Amino acid sequence: MGLCSCCCRCLELLCSVLLPPLGVCLRHGCCSMEFWISVLLTILGYLPGVLYAIYVICSVDPHSRRDPDDYVYVA
């Protein structure tokens, strides 16, 4: 993990403590499922939104998702 990557993650974590959907948006984009879950949890309560945002930023890889148009054919 390089210095730039570490600085970006620290910035995302700082944003997620101040405004949880912003940190998730920086990491995963504003149209992702993680972002909308973060918005919903923040509306329901600030602490659940912060905890979820920190979890998503630290443990979920934004590039691990497959494109829904990619089909796996098993024959």
Side-chain angles (χ1 to χ4, degrees):
M1 189 150 112
L3 180 64
C4 182
S5 176
C6 183
C7 290
C8 288
R9 182 160 295 180
C10 289
L11 177 66
E12 292 165 354
L13 288 171
L14 178 66
C15 288
S16 70
V17 170
L18 298 175
L19 186 63
L22 179 62
V24 176
C25 180
L26 290 175
R27 180 84 170 161
H28 294 277
C30 62
C31 293
S32 67
M33 180 181 64
E34 287 86 2
F35 171 75
W36 291 110
I37 292 173
S38 178
V39 168
L40 178 68
L41 287 173
T42 304
I43 289 171
L44 293 175
Y46 178 73
L47 186 60
V50 170
L51 293 175
Y52 178 76
I54 290 172
Y55 167 75
V56 166
I57 290 171
C58 291
S59 65
V60 177
D61 183 23
H63 303 295
S64 67
R65 297 209 177 231
R66 297 183 64 135
D67 189 17
D69 295 333
D70 290 343
Y71 294 105
V72 177
Y73 294 103
V74 178

